[in-house]
Amino acid sequence: MFWLKKIVSQLFMPVPLAIILIVLAYLVVRNRKLARGLLAITAGMLIVLCSGLGSNALLAPLEDKYSVNNRPMGKSCLVMVLGSGHDEAENQSAVQQLSSTALARLSEGIRQLSLGDGCKLVVSGWSGGMNQRAHADVMFDAAVELGVNPNSIIKFPLAKDTIEEAQYMQWEVMDAPFRLVTSASHMPRSMAIFENAGLNVTAAPTDFAQRKTYWWYFDAQSLLSSQRAIHEYLGLAWFKLKHAN
């Protein structure tokens, strides 16, 4: 089910979907009206998703739901940072191996630690099926490189997705309060999952993808931001459908 969900969701991402529509247009090329319609839909979709206005419009409902968390924490606090991938390289430090998203999340997690006294950091993530090391192990090493006491770090190296991360956290902390750090666009779905698990969680979003740009500016970064938003909307829809009463 895990891999099936990943594969199916990829079919709705902008680039794969555009390729599918173009192939369909080629297959029905004798029906010029239908073929032109498919190509027009493809072009229109890419124009909107590659624009800053389009990507910001998709991201805003997700990223505006939770604000940056600067509230102090008490003693024995917990901060959980959700994983987001890495690339292994022998000549690079753990920090350099992290994806830009993972580094942004870890940096915010460490900042959150400074808002409390004696806080513990929780890092998670499996190998992704492509790397030898679990993402949680690389996050652990990166956190240590950035000055976090290794004795203050808890790892969940087997968690494959946000649902499993919530399950591991439930087993680890029960009803103890903690702060959850993840990308702002991912936060609404993460909070829904963690709250559904009965956890006492507070949001601490980071890695905001909305940006100011000209209305006529089109680039790959906007397309990537649009893809991020679409991924989250699909994830939210699946989660709500799965847990509908």
Side-chain angles (χ1 to χ4, degrees):
M1 179 60 71
F2 173 79
W3 287 113
L4 179 62
K5 181 175 65 174
K6 292 289 185 182
I7 293 171
V8 171
S9 66
Q10 278 299 305
L11 299 178
F12 293 93
M13 294 300 103
V15 173
L17 183 57
I19 293 173
I20 291 172
L21 291 174
I22 292 172
V23 170
L24 287 176
Y26 175 78
L27 294 176
V28 298
V29 69
R30 291 186 178 181
N31 187 333
R32 293 187 177 181
K33 186 176 182 180
L34 178 57
R36 288 174 179 173
L38 290 171
L39 292 176
I41 291 172
T42 304
M45 176 186 70
L46 291 178
I47 288 172
V48 172
L49 299 182
C50 287
S51 70
L53 291 178
S55 62
N56 285 343
L58 287 170
L59 286 167
L62 299 169
E63 294 193 340
D64 294 349
K65 189 170 183 179
Y66 296 97
S67 302
V68 174
N69 196 331
N70 294 314
R71 286 171 289 177
M73 293 183 287
K75 295 182 178 179
S76 303
C77 46
L78 282 168
V79 177
M80 183 180 193
V81 178
L82 300 188
S84 185
H86 68 278
D87 291 309
E88 294 180 352
E90 293 183 0
N91 61 339
Q92 294 179 358
S93 66
V95 169
Q96 293 167 339
Q97 291 179 39
L98 294 179
S99 68
S100 58
T101 299
L103 183 56
R105 293 179 183 183
L106 181 60
S107 298
E108 177 61 19
I110 294 175
R111 189 184 78 86
Q112 290 293 323
L113 293 180
S114 68
L115 298 176
D117 184 15
C119 295
K120 286 191 175 182
L121 178 69
V122 181
V123 293
S124 63
W126 68 311
S127 66
M130 298 179 64
N131 296 307
Q132 294 183 349
R133 301 187 67 202
H135 183 61
D137 292 330
V138 179
M139 289 281 274
F140 177 96
D141 291 344
V144 172
E145 289 175 2
L146 293 173
V148 179
N149 185 338
N151 296 323
S152 299
I153 306 175
I154 300 170
K155 297 186 295 183
F156 297 153
L158 300 179
K160 292 182 179 179
D161 56 19
T162 308
I163 292 176
E164 291 191 5
E165 288 172 324
Q167 292 172 344
Y168 278 102
M169 199 61 175
Q170 187 179 41
W171 297 332
E172 181 72 27
V173 305
M174 300 298 287
D175 60 350
F178 66 95
R179 285 203 180 163
L180 181 66
V181 177
T182 189
S183 300
S185 59
H186 184 48
M187 188 60 80
R189 179 157 62 105
S190 299
M191 289 295 288
I193 292 172
F194 277 72
E195 289 175 347
N196 183 73
L199 291 162
N200 188 358
V201 58
T202 303
T206 187
D207 188 33
F208 290 84
Q210 291 183 75
R211 56 190 181 133
K212 293 182 179 179
T213 184
Y214 298 105
W215 67 266
W216 44 262
Y217 194 73
F218 303 87
D219 65 346
Q221 183 59 49
S222 295
L223 180 61
L224 182 61
S225 296
S226 295
Q227 176 173 299
R228 175 189 291 199
I230 292 169
H231 176 78
E232 290 305 323
Y233 286 123
L234 288 173
L236 275 167
W238 170 254
F239 179 76
K240 291 179 180 178
L241 180 65
K242 186 176 181 181
H243 294 275
N245 294 325

PDB file of all heavy atoms in Angstrom, residues 3-4 17-19 36 42 63 80 87-88 105 121 155 160 167-168 175 180 238:
ATOM      1  N   TRP A   3       3.941   1.801  -1.308  1.00  0.00           N
ATOM      2  CA  TRP A   3       4.485   2.091  -2.621  1.00  0.00           C
ATOM      3  C   TRP A   3       3.392   2.385  -3.634  1.00  0.00           C
ATOM      4  O   TRP A   3       3.569   3.222  -4.536  1.00  0.00           O
ATOM      5  CB  TRP A   3       5.366   0.938  -3.101  1.00  0.00           C
ATOM      6  CG  TRP A   3       6.671   0.867  -2.372  1.00  0.00           C
ATOM      7  CD1 TRP A   3       7.093  -0.099  -1.516  1.00  0.00           C
ATOM      8  CD2 TRP A   3       7.734   1.823  -2.437  1.00  0.00           C
ATOM      9  NE1 TRP A   3       8.351   0.191  -1.035  1.00  0.00           N
ATOM     10  CE2 TRP A   3       8.763   1.366  -1.585  1.00  0.00           C
ATOM     11  CE3 TRP A   3       7.909   3.027  -3.123  1.00  0.00           C
ATOM     12  CZ2 TRP A   3       9.952   2.058  -1.411  1.00  0.00           C
ATOM     13  CZ3 TRP A   3       9.101   3.721  -2.952  1.00  0.00           C
ATOM     14  CH2 TRP A   3      10.101   3.236  -2.099  1.00  0.00           C
ATOM     15  N   LEU A   4       2.247   1.716  -3.516  1.00  0.00           N
ATOM     16  CA  LEU A   4       1.124   1.980  -4.416  1.00  0.00           C
ATOM     17  C   LEU A   4       0.658   3.429  -4.274  1.00  0.00           C
ATOM     18  O   LEU A   4       0.397   4.121  -5.270  1.00  0.00           O
ATOM     19  CB  LEU A   4      -0.026   1.017  -4.118  1.00  0.00           C
ATOM     20  CG  LEU A   4      -1.290   1.200  -4.969  1.00  0.00           C
ATOM     21  CD1 LEU A   4      -0.974   0.971  -6.438  1.00  0.00           C
ATOM     22  CD2 LEU A   4      -2.390   0.264  -4.491  1.00  0.00           C
ATOM     23  N   LEU A  17       1.846  14.235 -15.217  1.00  0.00           N
ATOM     24  CA  LEU A  17       0.506  14.457 -15.757  1.00  0.00           C
ATOM     25  C   LEU A  17       0.575  15.123 -17.129  1.00  0.00           C
ATOM     26  O   LEU A  17      -0.187  14.764 -18.044  1.00  0.00           O
ATOM     27  CB  LEU A  17      -0.309  15.319 -14.797  1.00  0.00           C
ATOM     28  CG  LEU A  17      -1.767  15.587 -15.192  1.00  0.00           C
ATOM     29  CD1 LEU A  17      -2.526  14.286 -15.386  1.00  0.00           C
ATOM     30  CD2 LEU A  17      -2.455  16.443 -14.128  1.00  0.00           C
ATOM     31  N   ALA A  18       1.488  16.066 -17.299  1.00  0.00           N
ATOM     32  CA  ALA A  18       1.657  16.719 -18.605  1.00  0.00           C
ATOM     33  C   ALA A  18       2.093  15.709 -19.658  1.00  0.00           C
ATOM     34  O   ALA A  18       1.613  15.731 -20.802  1.00  0.00           O
ATOM     35  CB  ALA A  18       2.680  17.850 -18.493  1.00  0.00           C
ATOM     36  N   ILE A  19       3.005  14.816 -19.276  1.00  0.00           N
ATOM     37  CA  ILE A  19       3.467  13.782 -20.213  1.00  0.00           C
ATOM     38  C   ILE A  19       2.318  12.865 -20.609  1.00  0.00           C
ATOM     39  O   ILE A  19       2.155  12.512 -21.787  1.00  0.00           O
ATOM     40  CB  ILE A  19       4.622  12.973 -19.583  1.00  0.00           C
ATOM     41  CG1 ILE A  19       5.856  13.864 -19.417  1.00  0.00           C
ATOM     42  CG2 ILE A  19       4.960  11.755 -20.449  1.00  0.00           C
ATOM     43  CD1 ILE A  19       6.985  13.216 -18.656  1.00  0.00           C
ATOM     44  N   ARG A  36      -6.215  18.789 -29.770  1.00  0.00           N
ATOM     45  CA  ARG A  36      -5.935  20.195 -29.479  1.00  0.00           C
ATOM     46  C   ARG A  36      -6.406  20.569 -28.076  1.00  0.00           C
ATOM     47  O   ARG A  36      -5.752  21.346 -27.379  1.00  0.00           O
ATOM     48  CB  ARG A  36      -6.607  21.080 -30.519  1.00  0.00           C
ATOM     49  CG  ARG A  36      -5.948  21.033 -31.897  1.00  0.00           C
ATOM     50  CD  ARG A  36      -6.748  21.829 -32.902  1.00  0.00           C
ATOM     51  NE  ARG A  36      -6.123  21.801 -34.214  1.00  0.00           N
ATOM     52  CZ  ARG A  36      -6.681  22.298 -35.321  1.00  0.00           C
ATOM     53  NH1 ARG A  36      -7.877  22.873 -35.252  1.00  0.00           N
ATOM     54  NH2 ARG A  36      -6.043  22.237 -36.468  1.00  0.00           N
ATOM     55  N   THR A  42      -2.883  20.972 -21.240  1.00  0.00           N
ATOM     56  CA  THR A  42      -1.502  20.786 -20.773  1.00  0.00           C
ATOM     57  C   THR A  42      -0.767  22.121 -20.695  1.00  0.00           C
ATOM     58  O   THR A  42      -0.113  22.425 -19.694  1.00  0.00           O
ATOM     59  CB  THR A  42      -0.753  19.830 -21.717  1.00  0.00           C
ATOM     60  OG1 THR A  42      -1.454  18.593 -21.812  1.00  0.00           O
ATOM     61  CG2 THR A  42       0.663  19.582 -21.211  1.00  0.00           C
ATOM     62  N   GLU A  63       0.171  27.192   3.873  1.00  0.00           N
ATOM     63  CA  GLU A  63       1.228  27.828   4.659  1.00  0.00           C
ATOM     64  C   GLU A  63       0.716  28.910   5.606  1.00  0.00           C
ATOM     65  O   GLU A  63       1.390  29.230   6.587  1.00  0.00           O
ATOM     66  CB  GLU A  63       2.284  28.424   3.721  1.00  0.00           C
ATOM     67  CG  GLU A  63       3.044  27.374   2.922  1.00  0.00           C
ATOM     68  CD  GLU A  63       4.283  27.932   2.249  1.00  0.00           C
ATOM     69  OE1 GLU A  63       4.376  29.167   2.078  1.00  0.00           O
ATOM     70  OE2 GLU A  63       5.168  27.134   1.905  1.00  0.00           O
ATOM     71  N   MET A  80      10.041  17.652  17.828  1.00  0.00           N
ATOM     72  CA  MET A  80      10.159  16.615  16.795  1.00  0.00           C
ATOM     73  C   MET A  80      10.318  17.251  15.423  1.00  0.00           C
ATOM     74  O   MET A  80       9.547  18.118  15.038  1.00  0.00           O
ATOM     75  CB  MET A  80       8.937  15.702  16.790  1.00  0.00           C
ATOM     76  CG  MET A  80       9.061  14.583  15.770  1.00  0.00           C
ATOM     77  SD  MET A  80       7.629  13.476  15.735  1.00  0.00           S
ATOM     78  CE  MET A  80       8.321  12.133  14.735  1.00  0.00           C
ATOM     79  N   ASP A  87      21.107  12.710   0.483  1.00  0.00           N
ATOM     80  CA  ASP A  87      21.912  12.021  -0.527  1.00  0.00           C
ATOM     81  C   ASP A  87      23.247  11.670   0.103  1.00  0.00           C
ATOM     82  O   ASP A  87      23.975  12.557   0.558  1.00  0.00           O
ATOM     83  CB  ASP A  87      22.136  12.908  -1.757  1.00  0.00           C
ATOM     84  CG  ASP A  87      20.858  13.127  -2.547  1.00  0.00           C
ATOM     85  OD1 ASP A  87      20.195  12.129  -2.875  1.00  0.00           O
ATOM     86  OD2 ASP A  87      20.526  14.292  -2.826  1.00  0.00           O
ATOM     87  N   GLU A  88      23.577  10.386   0.115  1.00  0.00           N
ATOM     88  CA  GLU A  88      24.810   9.948   0.759  1.00  0.00           C
ATOM     89  C   GLU A  88      26.027  10.230  -0.122  1.00  0.00           C
ATOM     90  O   GLU A  88      26.006   9.998  -1.329  1.00  0.00           O
ATOM     91  CB  GLU A  88      24.726   8.453   1.074  1.00  0.00           C
ATOM     92  CG  GLU A  88      23.677   8.123   2.122  1.00  0.00           C
ATOM     93  CD  GLU A  88      23.599   6.634   2.421  1.00  0.00           C
ATOM     94  OE1 GLU A  88      24.261   5.855   1.704  1.00  0.00           O
ATOM     95  OE2 GLU A  88      22.879   6.260   3.358  1.00  0.00           O
ATOM     96  N   ARG A 105      14.252  22.213   8.023  1.00  0.00           N
ATOM     97  CA  ARG A 105      13.500  21.664   9.160  1.00  0.00           C
ATOM     98  C   ARG A 105      14.404  21.459  10.370  1.00  0.00           C
ATOM     99  O   ARG A 105      14.029  21.801  11.498  1.00  0.00           O
ATOM    100  CB  ARG A 105      12.858  20.332   8.757  1.00  0.00           C
ATOM    101  CG  ARG A 105      11.764  20.466   7.714  1.00  0.00           C
ATOM    102  CD  ARG A 105      11.186  19.105   7.349  1.00  0.00           C
ATOM    103  NE  ARG A 105      10.176  19.200   6.302  1.00  0.00           N
ATOM    104  CZ  ARG A 105       9.479  18.178   5.833  1.00  0.00           C
ATOM    105  NH1 ARG A 105       9.690  16.962   6.325  1.00  0.00           N
ATOM    106  NH2 ARG A 105       8.579  18.336   4.879  1.00  0.00           N
ATOM    107  N   LEU A 121      15.516  16.488  21.257  1.00  0.00           N
ATOM    108  CA  LEU A 121      15.207  16.577  19.839  1.00  0.00           C
ATOM    109  C   LEU A 121      14.879  15.183  19.309  1.00  0.00           C
ATOM    110  O   LEU A 121      15.597  14.225  19.571  1.00  0.00           O
ATOM    111  CB  LEU A 121      16.409  17.150  19.081  1.00  0.00           C
ATOM    112  CG  LEU A 121      16.281  17.267  17.565  1.00  0.00           C
ATOM    113  CD1 LEU A 121      15.266  18.356  17.208  1.00  0.00           C
ATOM    114  CD2 LEU A 121      17.643  17.588  16.940  1.00  0.00           C
ATOM    115  N   LYS A 155      15.900   8.965  18.043  1.00  0.00           N
ATOM    116  CA  LYS A 155      15.792   8.631  16.624  1.00  0.00           C
ATOM    117  C   LYS A 155      14.660   7.644  16.363  1.00  0.00           C
ATOM    118  O   LYS A 155      14.450   6.722  17.132  1.00  0.00           O
ATOM    119  CB  LYS A 155      17.096   8.018  16.112  1.00  0.00           C
ATOM    120  CG  LYS A 155      18.303   8.924  16.164  1.00  0.00           C
ATOM    121  CD  LYS A 155      19.504   8.272  15.488  1.00  0.00           C
ATOM    122  CE  LYS A 155      19.975   7.014  16.210  1.00  0.00           C
ATOM    123  NZ  LYS A 155      21.167   6.435  15.579  1.00  0.00           N
ATOM    124  N   LYS A 160       8.449   5.414   7.885  1.00  0.00           N
ATOM    125  CA  LYS A 160       8.451   5.619   6.442  1.00  0.00           C
ATOM    126  C   LYS A 160       7.696   6.866   6.006  1.00  0.00           C
ATOM    127  O   LYS A 160       8.002   7.444   4.980  1.00  0.00           O
ATOM    128  CB  LYS A 160       7.846   4.394   5.740  1.00  0.00           C
ATOM    129  CG  LYS A 160       8.697   3.145   5.838  1.00  0.00           C
ATOM    130  CD  LYS A 160       8.043   2.008   5.068  1.00  0.00           C
ATOM    131  CE  LYS A 160       8.891   0.752   5.130  1.00  0.00           C
ATOM    132  NZ  LYS A 160       8.258  -0.377   4.396  1.00  0.00           N
ATOM    133  N   GLN A 167       2.854   7.431  14.875  1.00  0.00           N
ATOM    134  CA  GLN A 167       2.728   6.199  15.659  1.00  0.00           C
ATOM    135  C   GLN A 167       3.922   6.013  16.581  1.00  0.00           C
ATOM    136  O   GLN A 167       3.762   5.683  17.765  1.00  0.00           O
ATOM    137  CB  GLN A 167       2.585   5.005  14.725  1.00  0.00           C
ATOM    138  CG  GLN A 167       1.270   4.972  13.957  1.00  0.00           C
ATOM    139  CD  GLN A 167       1.240   3.882  12.897  1.00  0.00           C
ATOM    140  OE1 GLN A 167       2.272   3.327  12.504  1.00  0.00           O
ATOM    141  NE2 GLN A 167       0.045   3.564  12.424  1.00  0.00           N
ATOM    142  N   TYR A 168       5.126   6.235  16.042  1.00  0.00           N
ATOM    143  CA  TYR A 168       6.332   6.102  16.873  1.00  0.00           C
ATOM    144  C   TYR A 168       6.339   7.155  17.989  1.00  0.00           C
ATOM    145  O   TYR A 168       6.746   6.863  19.123  1.00  0.00           O
ATOM    146  CB  TYR A 168       7.590   6.244  16.011  1.00  0.00           C
ATOM    147  CG  TYR A 168       7.976   4.975  15.295  1.00  0.00           C
ATOM    148  CD1 TYR A 168       7.700   4.793  13.942  1.00  0.00           C
ATOM    149  CD2 TYR A 168       8.620   3.939  15.964  1.00  0.00           C
ATOM    150  CE1 TYR A 168       8.053   3.628  13.282  1.00  0.00           C
ATOM    151  CE2 TYR A 168       8.977   2.768  15.311  1.00  0.00           C
ATOM    152  CZ  TYR A 168       8.687   2.621  13.968  1.00  0.00           C
ATOM    153  OH  TYR A 168       9.038   1.459  13.319  1.00  0.00           O
ATOM    154  N   ASP A 175       1.025  11.148  26.073  1.00  0.00           N
ATOM    155  CA  ASP A 175       0.295  12.415  26.005  1.00  0.00           C
ATOM    156  C   ASP A 175       1.155  13.623  26.390  1.00  0.00           C
ATOM    157  O   ASP A 175       0.637  14.706  26.647  1.00  0.00           O
ATOM    158  CB  ASP A 175      -0.946  12.358  26.890  1.00  0.00           C
ATOM    159  CG  ASP A 175      -0.606  12.111  28.360  1.00  0.00           C
ATOM    160  OD1 ASP A 175       0.569  11.797  28.653  1.00  0.00           O
ATOM    161  OD2 ASP A 175      -1.511  12.216  29.211  1.00  0.00           O
ATOM    162  N   LEU A 180       6.081  20.230  16.937  1.00  0.00           N
ATOM    163  CA  LEU A 180       6.299  19.529  15.680  1.00  0.00           C
ATOM    164  C   LEU A 180       6.843  20.495  14.642  1.00  0.00           C
ATOM    165  O   LEU A 180       6.230  21.521  14.348  1.00  0.00           O
ATOM    166  CB  LEU A 180       4.980  18.928  15.184  1.00  0.00           C
ATOM    167  CG  LEU A 180       5.038  18.143  13.878  1.00  0.00           C
ATOM    168  CD1 LEU A 180       5.884  16.887  14.050  1.00  0.00           C
ATOM    169  CD2 LEU A 180       3.637  17.783  13.406  1.00  0.00           C
ATOM    170  N   TRP A 238      -6.555  12.123   0.799  1.00  0.00           N
ATOM    171  CA  TRP A 238      -6.445  10.693   1.101  1.00  0.00           C
ATOM    172  C   TRP A 238      -6.640  10.433   2.587  1.00  0.00           C
ATOM    173  O   TRP A 238      -7.333   9.498   2.984  1.00  0.00           O
ATOM    174  CB  TRP A 238      -5.093  10.170   0.647  1.00  0.00           C
ATOM    175  CG  TRP A 238      -4.797   8.775   1.114  1.00  0.00           C
ATOM    176  CD1 TRP A 238      -3.926   8.396   2.100  1.00  0.00           C
ATOM    177  CD2 TRP A 238      -5.386   7.555   0.634  1.00  0.00           C
ATOM    178  NE1 TRP A 238      -3.922   7.041   2.250  1.00  0.00           N
ATOM    179  CE2 TRP A 238      -4.817   6.485   1.384  1.00  0.00           C
ATOM    180  CE3 TRP A 238      -6.333   7.269  -0.345  1.00  0.00           C
ATOM    181  CZ2 TRP A 238      -5.164   5.166   1.168  1.00  0.00           C
ATOM    182  CZ3 TRP A 238      -6.680   5.935  -0.552  1.00  0.00           C
ATOM    183  CH2 TRP A 238      -6.103   4.911   0.197  1.00  0.00           C
TER     184      TRP A 238
END
